Amino acid sequence: MHNIRLLRQLRWPGGPHRLMASHHKRPQMLGSVPSDQLEQLKSNYFDRREELSGDEWHSVRHSLIDGYKHINGHNVDAVILGVCSGPQQLSLAKNYVNYLRSTGVGPNAATLGRLLRVYNAAYHTRPLSEAEQREILQISDSLQAAHETLDATSCEQLIHGLVATTEHWQRALPLLEMMKVTSTPSVAAYSALAEKAFGQSDHTEVAWRLLEEMVLARKQPKCEVFLALLNRLAQVPAAARVQLERLLQFLERHNILVSQKVAERLLQLGQQLPQQLRVTASRLGPLGKCQECRQHLQPVAISDEQFRQLSECFLEKVLIRGDVFQKSTPQEVLRFKQYVEKTAPYDCVIDGLNVAYSTGAKKAPQQLAKLLATVVRHFKERNKRVLVLGREHMRNWSKSAMHYVQNNASLFLTNNLSHDDPFLLYATLRSGQETDFFSRDLMRTHAFLLGAELKPIFRRWQQEHQFSLVTQTQTGKIIVKEPIRHRLSVHKAEGGTWHVPYCELYTPNPTDSFEVPEHWLCLTLRP
Ligand SMILES: [Zn+2]
C-alpha cells in the first residue's frame, strides 16, 4: 500500500512533459514542468515489479487522467505502456493489459501496439519463449482481423512484434508495403526488418533489398542492421568475404558513415575470423596518409568520363527542363548563358552574396562589399580568373570596394529574386574540370535532383572544388577553407585495402558537410 499512498501524494500540475513530448510530439509544452514526478512514479511503482494489483492499476490510471490535461480515457493505457516499455517490464506490461481485460473494457489497438514494442524490447535481450511468441501472433491476428488496412503506426508496431518471432517474421513484409500507402516507411520499420532478415540463414537478399530501398528513401539504416549481418558472418565464415565486400561497397556507394559500435564489431570480427579479414583501428596523418598501412587515401577527384556525365546531366536539367532556374526569367538565363560563353573559362566562381553574408548579414553594406573584395583579392593574388555572381542591389554597396571587384573579376548581377546556386554551378561546370567555386552552401537540393547514381559523383566533385570562408580576423585577414583532396568516405585503396571512417554515434540525419572523420578502420579482406 506504500505505493498507493505515494501515488496519491503525487500532484502533477502540468503533466509528464518529457514523456509526452517523446510519444506525442508536443514540443510547445516542453520545459514548463519537470518530469521528475513521473520518474518517481516509474521508480517507485514500476521498477522491479512484475505485477500490480487491480486496485493499484486503477489508482495509477485515474491519477494520470486526473493529473494531466492531455491524458484522457482514450490514451491513458498507451501512456502507461509507454512508461513500462523496458525489456525487463514485459511481465508488468502484460499484467496491465490483463487488468484492462478483467475490467471488461479491454485494450485498444494503440495499447496492443505498444505492448508489441515491449515484446520487441525483451526480444533484444533474450529469445522469447514459444508462449510469448504465440501471444504476439494472437495480438497481430486480432489487430489485422479488425482492420483491412492499418495505419502506418499500427503497421510499424506489428512489424516490431512479428520480427520478435522465429517462424512468422515474414508476415511483417507485406505490412511494410502497407505503410507505403500512406507514407514512407520509417527508419525503425525498415531497420527492424532488415536486421531480422540478416539474422536468418537464407534471407540475406531480402535484407539487402530493404537496405537499398531505405537509403534511396533517404533513411539511414540503424546500427543494429549492420550488427546483425556481422554477427551472422561470425557464425558462417564461408560467406564472410563476399558479404563484407558487399557491405563495404554499399557503404561506399551511399556514403554512409557507420558508428563506433559497428566499427568495434568489425574489429572483433577480424579477431574471430583472422583467415578472412584483417582489421585495425587507424588515424590519418597529413595529406590523408593511413597511419596503419602507410598508404595515402584515394584522391576524391572524379574521372573525365564521370565529369562529362555530371556536367551533361546538370546542364541538361538547367537548360532543357529549366526547373533549376525556376526563380529566374528565361531572358535572364539567356543573358547569363551568353555572358558565360563570352567570358569563360574561369578558375573560380564566387557566390558574391553568400561570401558577403558569411560573417553575418547584419553588417553595413560597406563591410559586406569589403569582405567580398578581400575574397576576390585572395584569388587575384594567385593569378586566378574569377567570376563573381551577385544581385542587382549590390550595385548600391560601397563604390570603391565594388570597383575593385569589377576591375579584378568578371561580375554578373542577377535580379534580386533569383537563386544563385544554379548560376554558380552552371558557370563552374561549364568552365571545365579544373574550376573551383566559393560558397558555403551545401548544395543539397542540387545533389538530390541529380538522382541516386549521379549524386555521389556530384558530391565528390563538390568536395574537390568547393572553397568557403571560415572567418575574417580582427585585422581583416580572411581564413579560407580549402577543399580536402582525398576521399572522406568508405573506399578501397590500390592494392585492395579498404579504409572505413566511423563516427561516434548513429544519427538519422547526417550532415552533408565535408569534415575529415577522426577515426578510421584499415581493413583487408584476405583472398
Ligand atoms: Zn590503411
Side-chain angles (χ1 to χ4, degrees), residues 306-470:
Q306 285 170 323
F307 180 77
R308 193 189 59 74
Q309 278 177 9
L310 176 66
S311 45
E312 252 175 36
C313 177
F314 184 84
L315 299 181
E316 182 203 318
K317 280 194 172 160
V318 173
L319 299 178
I320 298 173
R321 285 179 39 212
D323 55 347
V324 186
F325 274 130
Q326 271 168 7
K327 294 228 165 169
S328 311
T329 61
Q331 292 81 1
E332 184 167 61
V333 175
L334 186 66
R335 186 168 68 88
F336 175 66
K337 274 163 51 189
Q338 287 169 345
Y339 184 84
V340 172
E341 294 310 317
K342 211 165 63 196
T343 56
Y346 319 102
D347 297 312
C348 186
V349 183
I350 297 174
D351 183 338
L353 210 57
N354 186 290
V355 163
Y357 287 158
S358 57
T359 58
K362 285 187 181 152
K363 298 206 161 152
Q366 206 172 351
Q367 279 175 294
L368 298 173
K370 229 171 138 182
L371 181 58
L372 177 58
T374 312
V375 171
V376 169
R377 184 176 300 118
H378 174 88
F379 288 99
K380 191 72 203 167
E381 283 169 1
R382 287 156 182 78
N383 293 320
K384 302 288 184 190
R385 276 176 60 87
V386 175
L387 167 67
V388 175
L389 297 172
R391 306 273 177 86
E392 281 296 339
H393 72 83
M394 289 163 69
R395 285 191 198 283
N396 306 326
W397 287 3
S398 151
K399 286 266 178 313
S400 61
M402 290 312 285
H403 269 143
Y404 179 85
V405 171
Q406 203 144 18
N407 291 336
N408 292 281
S410 304
L411 177 66
F412 187 87
L413 301 177
T414 61
N415 103 43
N416 289 340
L417 291 174
S418 307
H419 275 173
D420 298 333
D421 308 343
F423 290 93
L424 177 90
L425 295 173
Y426 177 88
T428 313
L429 288 166
R430 194 71 187 80
S431 286
Q433 204 170 349
E434 302 305 317
T435 305
D436 299 316
F437 67 97
F438 200 107
S439 167
R440 283 192 314 175
D441 198 289
L442 294 171
M443 310 284 168
R444 283 200 185 101
T445 322
H446 305 292
F448 182 67
L449 280 176
L450 285 166
E453 208 174 305
L454 275 177
K455 185 185 162 188
I457 296 176
F458 175 82
R459 295 275 300 153
R460 286 176 63 173
W461 172 80
Q462 184 189 0
Q463 185 197 317
E464 196 198 356
H465 293 286
Q466 183 164 20
F467 285 75
S468 61
L469 188 65
V470 179

Side-chain angles (χ1 to χ4, degrees), residues 278 282 290-295 497-499 521-523:
R278 184 196 61 86
S282 183
C290 171
Q291 303 291 60
E292 195 57 37
C293 67
R294 318 304 292 172
Q295 275 183 299
T497 302
W498 285 89
H499 289 102
L521 296 179
C522 179
L523 187 156

